[in-house]
Amino acid sequence: MWHHLIWILVLWLLSGITTANQVPQRASEVALIGTNRTLVCNITSVELTVWMFNNKDQLSQGLTIFTPSQYALDVRNDDTQMALTVITADEDDEGLYSCQDQGNPVMEFILTIEIPPTLKFEFSNSIHSTNGTVDVTFTEETAVQCIARGSKPLVSLRWEVDGRGAVGEVATNNSRDDERITVSTLRYIPNVGDKTLACITGGQQVVLSKKVEAKINVMYAPKCSLLISNETTNEFRLFCRCEANPPPNNYGIYVNDSLQSTEKEVFISSQSPAVVFCNASNIIGADTTDPVELGEFHVGQPISGGIIALIVCVLILLILMIALVIVFLQRRKVKKHQDSHGRTLATCEASKIPLPVGGEQGKIEDMSNPSSVPLIDQSSQKAEPSEQMNKEVTEGKGDPSKESPQKAEPSEQNKENTDDTSDPSKVPLMDPSSQRDVPSEQDKDILQDMTNPGEGPEIDKEEWKAKHGDGDDDEDV
């Protein structure tokens, strides 16, 4: 039994030594002056938790706070955490805060207070500033100072011109911490397009960057050019155009070394040669243009309004002519296609070739080419004699030699066929397979005469009479 008691005593002593040598967790906290900051500690017993300041001032015991106007306590997460809030922190609240659980330090917090600076520009006496605008001179070095006072800790400073990093020499002078002053000097040469100059702070954790900005008025001497034009045939217009800041307050236009006008525009006669130039000045400097020799009817710059109007009219007329040519060519193409289609219809009617229908529509173009029209076997088109005609020939009534030549009246069916022939759309289609006989040379000549009447050979009348008889038979033929 004594052995058990001894072991228990030894373990208790060892646990006490371990607890005493326990190293607390440490964290850094930063607060902006005038704001609240909360520190959270992990605990095991609310009643036995103590908050200390700089390891000498006890702030609380359990949930009892000794200075309630400066601190506040609350318990979180089922009594496993205790939070101490520093109310409206100032520089006196900066230091070490420790949390002790059952007499043992658990966590320590190093609280730092940050103070933002006051920021401003300072200019040398040679630089004039009005209403927040700084007057600087182009091509001349300018020195500007940016001063940050009262910051804690000391801040860093950087420069910007129109939102870009400034190009120039920067010198920074950090004073002692107790003075809390930082000075930065920028020396740079302004450009004509510069608009703003800014100084920006940095180097603090909870204090946002501050910026002081000034407008830049870059002043420069005039840069002039002489514009010459002659909108009429008997005078020149002289215009002295200058870029300057501030604007020129003195102008001079000279003709043959004599002052012609103190305005920036003048008209002179163009009937005789002359040498002209102009100048202008402001508080920064002056500029004079190179002399220009003018002859009679000199054409200078810019181009007059009349010439521009003439060029525009010529371009419009050219566009209209091109449009008319395009319309004419389109109409000519359509008319040519219509004429070709009409000739094809006439050729089909003259040669009694049925018009194509349905899927044969595409072949109508071939009709205009006589060589592509299939030849018709004339022998296959001869009508067979009817039974009545055979009977009459047998009885001697139908002998053509015994009857006077007289045209037979067409039957009703023949009349209908005749009417159908006059209307191409009513002509029945012929079976192309029945027209595939090879035409004779005589048939080819006949077809050639039908399609090209003016190109066929002349017919010998005597030969015609020997083959077909005298004039009485001509009508039947």
Side-chain angles (χ1 to χ4, degrees):
M1 181 176 179
W2 289 102
H3 295 287
H4 291 290
L5 293 175
I6 293 173
W7 276 112
I8 292 173
L9 182 61
V10 171
L11 292 175
W12 180 78
L13 292 173
L14 291 175
S15 63
I17 295 173
T18 303
T19 304
N21 294 330
Q22 183 178 357
V23 178
Q25 297 181 10
R26 178 168 289 193
S28 296
E29 297 289 339
V30 180
L32 175 63
I33 190 170
T35 63
N36 297 342
R37 191 65 178 180
T38 300
L39 312 176
V40 180
C41 175
N42 297 322
I43 62 174
T44 60
S45 175
V46 174
E47 292 78 7
L48 300 177
T49 300
V50 176
W51 282 93
M52 301 290 293
F53 178 64
N54 289 334
N55 291 327
K56 60 181 181 179
D57 298 329
Q58 184 175 350
L59 304 178
S60 68
Q61 175 67 54
L63 292 177
T64 302
I65 193 76
F66 299 143
T67 53
S69 62
Q70 192 173 356
Y71 303 100
L73 286 175
D74 66 282
V75 179
R76 305 176 181 180
N77 295 335
D78 298 331
D79 296 343
T80 61
Q81 290 182 334
M82 181 176 285
L84 174 69
T85 300
V86 181
I87 300 174
T88 314
D90 58 23
E91 290 188 73
D92 293 335
D93 295 321
E94 192 174 70
L96 177 64
Y97 292 81
S98 61
C99 171
Q100 298 179 3
D101 184 12
Q102 300 182 28
N104 300 311
V106 178
M107 297 189 70
E108 293 181 347
F109 302 89
I110 300 176
L111 181 61
T112 302
I113 305 300
E114 285 191 352
I115 303 174
T118 58
L119 200 63
K120 72 172 186 177
F121 282 129
E122 287 190 2
F123 305 98
S124 60
N125 294 332
S126 61
I127 298 178
H128 180 67
S129 177
T130 55
N131 299 325
T133 301
V134 181
D135 295 331
V136 296
T137 303
F138 176 60
T139 70
E140 291 185 6
E141 186 180 80
T142 300
V144 183
Q145 282 189 338
C146 179
I147 301 176
R149 288 187 172 91
S151 66
K152 183 179 181 302
L154 291 178
V155 296
S156 60
L157 299 174
R158 61 186 178 90
W159 295 88
E160 286 185 352
V161 176
D162 292 340
R164 305 181 305 273
V167 178
E169 179 183 350
V170 178
T172 302
N173 178 22
N174 290 324
S175 64
R176 297 191 309 271
D177 288 344
D178 56 352
E179 293 181 351
R180 298 180 183 177
I181 297 176
T182 303
V183 180
S184 180
T185 303
L186 172 67
R187 297 181 180 274
Y188 89 113
I189 298 177
N191 294 316
V192 172
D194 291 349
K195 300 296 183 183
T196 59
L197 178 66
C199 175
I200 305 170
T201 66
Q204 293 180 304
Q205 294 185 40
V206 295
V207 176
L208 298 178
S209 295
K210 297 189 67 174
K211 177 170 71 172
V212 60
E213 188 176 73
K215 294 181 180 180
I216 301 176
N217 179 35
V218 182
M219 299 183 298
Y220 52 95
K223 183 63 178 177
C224 301
S225 60
L226 183 61
L227 303 182
I228 305 170
S229 63
N230 56 329
E231 299 184 4
T232 63
T233 58
N234 59 357
E235 66 179 1
F236 290 126
R237 175 179 177 265
L238 306 181
F239 182 81
C240 190
R241 184 176 66 182
C242 300
E243 294 181 1
N245 184 30
N249 50 11
N250 292 307
Y251 282 96
I253 298 179
Y254 294 81
V255 178
N256 295 329
D257 294 330
S258 297
L259 180 62
Q260 184 75 18
S261 173
T262 57
E263 302 295 330
K264 57 184 176 181
E265 181 182 38
V266 69
F267 291 86
I268 65 172
S269 173
S270 63
Q271 300 302 316
S272 58
V275 177
V276 297
F277 64 91
C278 74
N279 61 19
S281 63
N282 61 9
I283 60 175
I284 305 300
D287 185 46
T288 302
T289 64
D290 295 331
V292 178
E293 295 184 6
L294 300 181
E296 295 184 8
F297 308 111
H298 172 79
V299 179
Q301 55 174 334
I303 300 176
S304 64
I307 296 177
I308 295 176
L310 179 61
I311 294 174
V312 172
C313 291
V314 171
L315 291 176
I316 293 175
L317 290 176
L318 183 60
I319 294 173
L320 291 176
M321 291 179 63
I322 294 174
L324 290 175
V325 170
I326 293 174
V327 172
F328 174 76
L329 292 176
Q330 290 290 340
R331 290 185 176 181
R332 182 177 180 182
K333 182 178 179 180
V334 172
K335 187 175 184 304
K336 183 177 180 181
H337 178 72
Q338 292 175 350
D339 293 344
S340 175
H341 186 67
R343 288 195 299 271
T344 301
L345 294 178
T347 303
C348 291
E349 184 177 358
S351 58
K352 295 185 178 181
I353 298 175
L355 291 172
V357 296
E360 300 294 330
Q361 286 283 348
K363 297 181 180 180
I364 193 168
E365 296 296 336
D366 297 337
M367 297 296 186
S368 61
N369 186 5
S371 61
S372 64
V373 177
L375 298 177
I376 302 174
D377 187 0
Q378 301 296 329
S379 61
S380 64
Q381 303 299 326
K382 294 181 179 180
E384 295 293 334
S386 63
E387 294 180 1
Q388 181 67 24
M389 292 179 63
N390 291 336
K391 184 176 179 181
E392 290 176 357
V393 171
T394 305
E395 294 177 358
K397 296 180 180 181
D399 188 357
S401 62
K402 295 180 182 182
E403 296 181 1
S404 59
Q406 185 176 359
K407 293 183 179 179
E409 293 295 328
S411 62
E412 293 299 327
Q413 184 175 1
N414 291 338
K415 288 181 179 181
E416 292 178 2
N417 294 338
T418 303
D419 295 338
D420 294 341
T421 305
S422 63
D423 187 358
S425 63
K426 297 181 180 181
V427 177
L429 296 176
M430 294 182 294
D431 185 4
S433 61
S434 64
Q435 308 299 329
R436 299 299 185 185
D437 295 339
V438 178
S440 62
E441 295 297 330
Q442 184 178 3
D443 291 337
K444 291 182 179 180
D445 295 338
I446 293 173
L447 182 59
Q448 183 68 24
D449 294 341
M450 292 173 64
T451 58
N452 299 297
E455 299 178 1
E458 297 182 358
I459 301 175
D460 190 350
K461 294 183 179 180
E462 297 299 330
E463 183 180 356
W464 175 268
K465 290 181 181 181
K467 290 183 178 180
H468 303 286
D470 292 332
D472 295 337
D473 298 331
D474 292 342
E475 186 175 356
D476 292 338
V477 174

